[in-house]
Amino acid sequence: MRCRASARPRSLRRRCPSSCRSSPGAGPGQGSGVWGAVSGAGGAAGVLLGGVLTEELGWRSVFFASAFTAAAVLAASGRLVRVGEATGPRPSPRGLDPFGTLTVTLGLVALVYALTAAGRSGWTDPWVLASMATALVLLALFAVIEHGHPAPLLAPRLLAAGSVAPANAVMALLGAVWVGLFFFLPLYQQQVLGESALTAGATQLPLAIANIAGASAAPRLARRWGPWNTLAVGMAVLTAGFLWLSRVSADGGFLRDVLGPTVLIGLGLGVAFVQLTAAAVAGVTAADAGLAGGLVNTTRQIGGALGLAVLGTLAASRTDSFLPGTSRAVALTEGYRTAFLVSAAITAVGTLLVPLLAARSRGGSQPTNGAAGGSAEPGVEPQPAAPDGPRSTHVTTPPGRETAT
């Protein structure tokens, strides 16, 4: 494991004990980078294979392939994934929370349905109003159940730890634009530019490669610029990419309208995903580490579902406002441009929330030995204590760059 300083200048870095000088690049920050890069690679494979399946077997085959892949992953996990030794206090066995699980699941399903149906039927439709009311009642009931449950699905103490709550809020925003992008961009390429499903899938590869590059570079950037500056830059790049993408035209092309902005978006997504994932588990005790990791992934999926429902409603409304007075291609393009522009606004809000993340991280208490994050700053490895005594506070600098302290 490699000892790393967070945002401190090199002249203020502490001496790293011999036990943490090996394996450069190892550690939580590098692990987050690998996790993000693998996610990007999976996205690239999914988009490309989805295009192949749609082209050869029809779009319904994508759902069968997803079910088969999920079953294969489940089977492989039982054989290949091994639980490592705990580094901190062993968490106590958790009880089940079936009523909490049922109410939050049904509540979110009702909410997504209401937001999606509103685009077709309007906000005053009885089914939309009934679904929205059902969602509010079920989610309120979920909050009541969690408050009194001995082993809640979402423990209140978890949201109060470190930067967990704001990091998950920003991750929900990131999930909204992430899912929306992979929904609207292929539709624009097929329905407006006239590309085949296979071509549309293959042209997502530059975006996925940029995503992998951003995720791989995020830990190194965090060590150089500091974790919060890195996150802010990633979100700003993501915003710029969506603003650029919102200028697509009905008579455009891949090289002119899609390639440049999607590369920017991929880089920003990779950096932001790694930093937010690290922030969502930083400062969390070992007993809550698994819960924090599961929460941030669930938040991204929920944000994606809700975001797609909202973006789809706005895009459909914008498209309908241009019909029948204009061509279908122009009307669709206006809808997609609206979705991309709103996505840029969402990521801009996420960028503005980064200072809140930083403030929560600095204000929270540092995790004790065995904490999952090991540091209140995302993407930066903690400095372990020397095995034979307390860590040294001697200040060192690289050769030739000694400064007086």
Side-chain angles (χ1 to χ4, degrees):
M1 185 170 60
R2 184 178 179 180
C3 180
R4 301 176 180 175
S6 55
R8 301 174 183 173
R10 294 192 177 198
S11 59
L12 295 181
R13 292 184 184 175
R14 294 179 176 179
R15 181 183 301 275
C16 181
S18 59
S19 61
C20 66
R21 287 184 186 143
S22 59
S23 304
Q30 189 69 17
S32 297
V34 172
W35 162 250
V38 169
S39 298
V47 170
L48 182 58
L49 292 177
V52 173
L53 290 172
T54 302
E55 190 82 7
E56 300 297 330
L57 302 176
W59 60 267
R60 290 179 177 85
S61 62
V62 174
F63 296 98
F64 290 105
S66 298
F68 174 79
T69 303
V73 169
L74 183 62
S77 297
R79 295 182 58 87
L80 301 179
V81 178
R82 295 291 180 265
V83 179
E85 292 294 329
T87 57
R90 295 182 63 85
S92 58
R94 294 180 56 84
L96 296 178
D97 184 8
F99 294 108
T101 303
L102 183 64
T103 52
V104 71
T105 302
L106 294 179
L108 289 173
V109 169
L111 180 59
V112 171
Y113 174 80
L115 294 174
T116 304
R120 301 189 306 267
S121 308
W123 290 99
T124 58
D125 181 80
W127 279 105
V128 172
L129 295 176
S131 298
M132 187 67 70
T134 301
L136 294 177
V137 170
L138 288 172
L139 293 176
L141 183 59
F142 168 72
V144 173
I145 292 174
E146 295 303 284
H147 182 72
H149 200 281
L153 189 66
L154 180 58
R157 70 176 183 278
L158 180 62
L159 297 178
S163 54
V164 171
N168 276 272
V170 180
M171 182 62 88
L173 300 179
L174 190 69
V177 301
W178 193 331
V179 175
L181 173 69
F182 281 102
F183 179 80
F184 291 109
L185 185 57
L187 286 179
Y188 165 72
Q189 293 181 248
Q190 295 177 70
Q191 296 183 349
V192 177
L193 301 184
E195 297 177 354
S196 66
L198 179 58
T199 301
T203 51
Q204 306 301 308
L205 290 178
L207 186 155
I209 293 172
N211 191 355
I212 295 172
S216 301
R220 296 191 297 272
L221 295 177
R223 295 196 300 272
R224 177 174 297 181
W225 298 341
W228 304 117
N229 291 335
T230 301
L231 176 57
V233 169
M235 295 295 293
V237 169
L238 186 58
T239 301
F242 274 113
L243 283 174
W244 189 358
L245 192 60
S246 69
R247 299 174 60 84
V248 294
S249 60
D251 57 351
F254 172 74
L255 293 178
R256 190 181 75 184
D257 293 272
V258 177
L259 179 60
T262 54
V263 169
L264 271 186
I265 290 172
L267 291 172
L269 272 177
V271 172
F273 176 73
V274 169
Q275 293 304 113
L276 283 173
T277 301
V281 298
V284 176
T285 62
D288 290 330
L291 182 59
L295 176 62
V296 69
N297 283 286
T298 303
T299 298
R300 178 168 59 91
Q301 299 295 335
I302 293 174
L306 296 177
L308 182 58
V310 172
L311 292 173
T313 298
L314 295 175
S317 299
R318 180 68 171 172
T319 296
D320 291 342
S321 69
F322 277 81
L323 293 174
T326 186
S327 68
R328 182 173 181 270
V330 171
L332 287 172
T333 300
E334 290 299 325
Y336 299 142
R337 291 180 62 166
T338 298
F340 297 142
L341 186 60
V342 174
S343 296
I346 291 173
T347 55
V349 171
T351 306
L352 296 177
L353 290 176
V354 172
L356 175 61
L357 275 165
R360 281 290 298 268
S361 176
R362 289 192 296 266
S365 58
Q366 292 289 335
T368 58
N369 186 28
S375 171
E377 294 187 338
V380 178
E381 280 79 354
Q383 178 179 348
D388 296 329
R391 71 179 65 173
S392 171
T393 58
H394 181 72
V395 177
T396 61
T397 58
R401 297 186 61 182
E402 287 79 3
T403 59
T405 58

